[in-house]
């Protein structure tokens, strides 16, 4: 998967597919061909599937058919951010090596070129009985059941979501949309993500199709049945239940034998949700129960508990705020955000609020997210060691050092804050423009665009050119001198975010760019500051550089100030805080969820001191509100309800997870999107965005709580392990501190058994260097396994990314067993029994591959450790081999039976004799440009590699060979074999 030729072929095939559906003329321009090898991109995974280029999200249509695993996925064929939703497609024979195929089901356009239908998530079935009539009994069709997300331009279903069909009779290569679409329409704007299964009643033998889909905003799975995939009748609903933050999406329903006993089968209902997962943002929960062909009955739903033990300080149930000081935004028409009395539940325009107790709660959604304000409790003396409280709403944490207002720092205001006399342009004041900004200079300074600017005017490159986001050019200020003591240049900046230098503000000194900053991908301007003390006495210029097009392809800038101190950033928090002696010492925020859950603060260090609780809503935009209820004092912490639910994964990057249909040998293989909607559009990858997690085989095992899922990476990945190069470490103490091991790697499997003993915490670091690493460890006090990526490399691209993600894990006889898959830009951690997993993306510094053991405190023991390098499965397959140059050429021949003439029976052997010198680590055999077999080699392998071919069809077969090592790929030659007719 390393050649650019393959992308050209795929692009041509996409064009053919679009022509066959009559959509090419209306589609956006195809993205340009890659200019570099995808394998060379810094964060490109080698074990995980990622598209060669452009955007990907949910896995769709996972199905196995006739020896091939099909992965369809949400895809933007034209860019690296979400949009133009279509189904991408990849195939594999082993779940590890994937070959990307042409776009399967593209976005639909009308005759005028307007997009009228996006192709959202769904599933694919093999219609073995041809119940749909789309194929034949001898050649059954593949049928895709997907969500038609109709755009506002659609003539009859504008803004609605309904379920539709497409079918393929050529093994999923081309698809035809059913003329009778949609086949299920509830007149809903949030009815989506159908997963279709074949159900057979064991008692009667009756067999039919069952669909599970979601009414996303109602936290409800809706079930339908059909005999022909075209006509559907409603069966039942499931939910709301357990986690109800954000919205429900991407359901699945399947049976599994408990402990491998087919006589004891339970059904698993998977419900993904966003936001509101256990780690924050996107995630997947599941339920275990029974399905009778009509109704799913959960046996694992957790009822909301009553109040934990303790004294209620504020329950907000008496119709007033019980003496709290309430500061609503002056002049807000709805007296928001709080009004003068507690809410009794959900407010107008709000998704359903749940998890509060009693008759009232603090709900900052009056006038929706717009108003800002504060509330503060009466003072109290801390006497109990814990403050417990219910919190919901937006995930906007308190950040020390920020301000609730938008005050500029003290100092010298440059360029009059752009408050020039009307009719005066930037050009009139000495600013130089280039590109689109020269055509209509009157456009800047602008009086439009952005939020939180000061005064009336600012620079806005969207307004500054005639093309909006597609306007390109520079705006460069006249020179100004940085005086002694003017150590900081502060400014307000909003607009788009780019990390490739195409959209940024710059400080120029002597014509050189010495400082840069980019926007927040939002309209809100906020303060940023540069330390410019080293340039005292020198002339400088400020430049707005816009070489970005498309959504958020602009910047908004205001109020440049030179001063001794940097500006304080404006707070964007929706928080509830404990205040002691005027300082915020504890803080909590919501999970972008309307479901309140328990937060607990350990306040034992403040015993006997006076405190108050302060609620702050300083955010006007998405999830810009906070919910609070039942502030309590207790001698024990309250357990978060969300941790009592069953989660597929406790990390930040495992979402939209569903299982493959029609898998052989009753296997249940699941695949998830390795990303999180909190920051998915912003991850700092190159020509592509997003990867899938490793496919996992799941089973049900008995636990004290009932049957629960166990997950393991599918065994096909065992074949990628370079076991001959594995590093092992015997039982020994782990000293307090950090120890870099004599092994490194960015694509490895790690198996470790650790006894924490008396250490406070202990674990491994991966993808490390002298500056940063990803820490995987166990905290003894909390008995929790964690992945800490707060100092893992690049984390500043989004405020929600830097995180410590953890899960409760009980030790087994005092020991913790871990299996960790590390793949350049991700870690997937499996606890010893497979019951708990944590999946996180990370973006390490270039070249960071160190592996370390660490402990905080003495007493930990390493029982065993094995670090196994792995061959890649995508883009770069060689793994570790010490090569300094690409493989030498090989000799290719065939053993075809007869010495002359065509092979008689289609059974023969293609032989490859690799050259001597540099290692040849991978030998691939291709036919018609597709890999049909591969062989991994080690230093002690035989020079001759044999590929047996069986049942080759009569005719001419053209084979090519690729040779790969870690230094490059060599064309190994070609061979033509003729098979007699």
């Amino acid at each position: 998967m390393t050649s650019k030729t393959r992308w050209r072929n795929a692009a041509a095939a996409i064009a053919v597919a679009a022509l066959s559906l009559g959509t090419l003329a209306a589609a956006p321009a195809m993205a340009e061909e890659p200019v570099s090898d995808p394998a060379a991109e810094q964060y490109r995974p080698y074990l995980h599937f990622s598209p060669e280029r452009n955007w990907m999200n949910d896995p769709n249509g996972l199905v196995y058919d006739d020896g091939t695993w099909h992965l369809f996925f949400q895809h933007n064929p034209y860019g690296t951010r979400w949009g133009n939703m279509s189904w991408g497609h990849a195939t594999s024979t082993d779940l590890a090596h994937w070959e990307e195929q042409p776009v399967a089901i593209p976005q639909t356009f009308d005759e005028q070129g307007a997009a009228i239908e996006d192709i959202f998530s769904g599933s694919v079935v093999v219609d073995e009985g041809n119940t749909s009539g789309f194929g034949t009994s001898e050649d059954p069709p593949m049928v895709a059941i997907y969500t038609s997300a109709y755009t506002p331009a659609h003539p009859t279903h504008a803004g609605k979501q309904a379920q539709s069909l497409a079918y393929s009779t050529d093994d999923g290569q081309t698809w035809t949309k059913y003329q009778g679409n949609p086949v299920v329409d509830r007149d809903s704007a949030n009815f989506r993500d159908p997963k279709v299964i074949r159900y057979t009643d064991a008692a009667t033998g009756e067999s039919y199709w069952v669909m599970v889909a979601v009414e996303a905003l109602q936290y409800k799975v809706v079930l339908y049945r059909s005999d022909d995939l075209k006509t559907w009748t409603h069966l039942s609903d499931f939910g709301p239940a357990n986690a109800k933050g954000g919205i429900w999406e991407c359901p699945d329903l399947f049976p599994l034998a408990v402990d491998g006993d087919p006589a004891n089968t339970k059904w698993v209902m998977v419900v993904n949700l966003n936001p509101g997962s256990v780690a924050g943002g996107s995630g997947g929960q599941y339920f275990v129960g029974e399905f009778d062909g009509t109704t799913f009955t959960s046996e694992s739903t957790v009822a909301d508990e009553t109040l934990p033990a303790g004294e209620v300080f504020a329950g907000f149930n008496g119709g007033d705020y019980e003496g709290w000081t309430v500061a609503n935004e002056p002049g807000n028409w709805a007296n928001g955000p709080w009004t003068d009395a507690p809410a009794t539940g959900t407010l107008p325009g709000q998704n359903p609020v749940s998890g509060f107790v009693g008759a009232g709660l603090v709900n900052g959604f009056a006038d929706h997210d717009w108003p800002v304000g504060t509330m503060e409790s009466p003072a109290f003396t801390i006497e109990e060691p814990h403050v417990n409280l219910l919190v919901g709403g937006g995930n906007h944490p308190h950040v020390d050092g920020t301000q609730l207002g938008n005050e500029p720092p003290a100092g010298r205001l440059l360029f009059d804050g752009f408050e020039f006399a009307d009719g005066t342009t930037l050009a009139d004041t000495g600013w130089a423009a280039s590109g689109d900004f020269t055509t209509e200079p009157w456009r800047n300074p602008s009086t439009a665009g952005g939020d939180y600017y000061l005064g009336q005017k600012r620079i806005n490159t969207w307004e500054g050119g005639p093309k909006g986001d597609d306007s390109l050019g520079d705006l460069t200020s006249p020179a100004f001198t940085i005086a002694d003591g003017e150590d900081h240049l502060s400014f307000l900046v909003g607009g788009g975010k780019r990390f490739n230098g195409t959209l940024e503000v710059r400080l120029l000194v002597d014509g050189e760019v010495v400082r840069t900053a980019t926007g927040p991908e939002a309209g809100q301007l906020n303060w940023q500051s540069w330390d410019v003390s080293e340039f005292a006495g020198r002339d400088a210029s400020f430049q707005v550089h816009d070489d970005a097009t498309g959504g958020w392809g602009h910047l908004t800038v205001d109020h440049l100030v030179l001063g001794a101190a940097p500006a304080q950033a404006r707070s964007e928090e929706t928080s509830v805080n404990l205040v002691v002696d005027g300082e915020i010492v504890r803080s909590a925020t919501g999970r972008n969820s309307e479901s309140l859950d328990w937060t607990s603060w350990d306040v034992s260090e403040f015993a006997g001191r006076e405190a108050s609780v302060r609620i702050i809503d300083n955010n006007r935009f998405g999830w810009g509100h906070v919910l609070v209820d039942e502030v309590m004092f207790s001698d024990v912490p309250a357990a978060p309800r969300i941790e009592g639910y069953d989660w597929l994964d406790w990390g930040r990057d495992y979402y939209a997870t569903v299982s493959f249909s029609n898998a052989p040998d009753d296997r249940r293989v699941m695949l998830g999107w390795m990303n999180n909607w909190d920051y998915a559009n912003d991850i700092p990858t190159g020509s592509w965005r997003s990867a899938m997690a490793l496919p996992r085989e799941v089973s049900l095992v008995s636990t004290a709580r009932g049957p629960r899922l166990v997950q393991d990476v599918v065994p096909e990945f065992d074949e990628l392990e370079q076991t001959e190069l594995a590093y092992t470490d015997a039982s020994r103490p782990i000293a307090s501190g950090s120890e870099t091991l004599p092994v490194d790697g960015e694509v490895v499997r790690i198996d470790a058994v650790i006894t924490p003993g008396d250490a406070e915490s202990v674990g491994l670091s991966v993808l490390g260097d002298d500056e940063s690493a990803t820490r995987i460890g166990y905290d003894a006090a909390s008995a929790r396994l964690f992945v800490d990526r707060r100092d893992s490399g690049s984390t500043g691209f989004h405020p929600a990314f830097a995180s410590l993600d953890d899960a409760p894990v009980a030790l087994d006889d005092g020991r913790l067993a871990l299996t960790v898959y590390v793949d350049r830009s991700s870690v997937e951690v499996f606890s010893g029994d497979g019951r708990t997993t944590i999946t996180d993306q990370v973006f390490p510094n270039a070249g960071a591959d160190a592996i370390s053991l660490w402990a905080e405190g003495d007493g930990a023991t390493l029982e065993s450790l094995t670090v196994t390098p792995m061959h890649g499965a995508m883009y770069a397959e060689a793994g570790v081999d010490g090569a300094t140059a690409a493989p030498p050429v090989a000799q290719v021949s065939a053993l075809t039976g007869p010495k002359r003439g065509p092979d008689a029976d289609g059974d023969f052997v293609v032989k490859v004799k690799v050259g001597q010198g540099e290692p040849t680590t991978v030998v691939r055999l291709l036919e018609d440009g597709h890999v049909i077999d591969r062989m991994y080699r080690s230093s002690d392998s035989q020079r001759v590699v044999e590929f047996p071919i069986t049942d080759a069809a009569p005719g001419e077969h053209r084979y090519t060979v690729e040779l790969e090592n870690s230094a490059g790929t060599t064309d190994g030659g070609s061979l033509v074999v003729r098979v007699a007719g």
Side-chain angles (χ1 to χ4, degrees), residues 22 221 229 266 413 421 506 533 554 557 576 593 640 646 673 678 684 689 775 901 920 955 969:
V221 177
L229 294 170
K266 295 290 184 180
L413 178 65
R506 298 168 166 174
S533 56
H554 69 279
V557 182
V576 53
S593 168
D646 293 300
W673 179 47
D678 279 355
R689 255 195 188 90
R775 285 162 51 97
T920 298
T969 301

Side-chain angles (χ1 to χ4, degrees), residues 56-72:
M56 176 183 73
N57 56 287
D58 305 0
N60 297 155
L62 305 181
V63 66
Y64 176 87
D65 184 38
D66 194 24
T68 298
W69 302 87
H70 292 264
L71 161 62
F72 301 89

Side-chain angles (χ1 to χ4, degrees), residues 236-254:
S236 62
D237 298 336
F238 170 73
N242 288 2
K244 301 179 288 294
I247 56 177
W248 279 17
E249 293 188 316
C250 301
D252 199 356
L253 179 65
F254 51 82

Side-chain angles (χ1 to χ4, degrees), residues 57-59 62 121 249-250 272-273 282-284 654-658 671-673:
N57 56 287
D58 305 0
L62 305 181
S121 293
E249 293 188 316
C250 301
N272 291 273
L273 75 159
S282 313
Y654 194 68
Y655 186 59
T657 307
V658 289
L671 191 66
W673 179 47

